[in-house]
Amino acid sequence: PYHRHPEFEVLWIEQSRGRAVVGDASIRFRPGQFFLFGGNLPHLFFNDRARARGLAKSHFIQFAVDCLGRGFWSLP
């Protein structure tokens, strides 16, 4: 589903091809791609059924923006 969450997210597509809707953009994705989403960025992935071979497979981690300390994102 099209959703959002406050955590940042790193996503790796291991197996699948299709289209991602991220914010107001629509892009194609394929195996091997990485994505990094900021907090509260709406996103959705759907697979191409015609090209699908087996099940879709991805891995992700979500983390709070301040998990590395408050000053991390302002480091040079």
Side-chain angles (χ1 to χ4, degrees):
Y2 193 58
H3 68 286
R4 68 175 76 206
H5 39 78
E7 300 83 12
F8 280 37
E9 182 173 325
V10 177
L11 172 77
W12 173 53
I13 306 294
E14 182 177 345
Q15 178 178 327
S16 184
R17 292 180 185 274
R19 184 158 298 279
V21 178
V22 181
D24 62 356
S26 176
I27 59 172
R28 304 278 311 154
F29 68 85
R30 65 186 185 286
Q33 284 188 289
F34 279 89
F35 293 86
L36 171 63
F37 302 128
N40 292 311
L41 178 64
H43 54 281
L44 158 78
F45 286 79
F46 57 94
N47 303 306
D48 290 344
R49 292 182 189 261
R51 295 184 189 179
R53 293 189 178 133
L55 299 174
K57 193 172 190 182
S58 65
H59 305 272
F60 68 93
I61 58 170
Q62 294 177 339
F63 55 94
V65 67
D66 62 352
C67 72
L68 299 173
R70 291 195 172 150
F72 178 79
W73 298 105
S74 58
L75 292 172

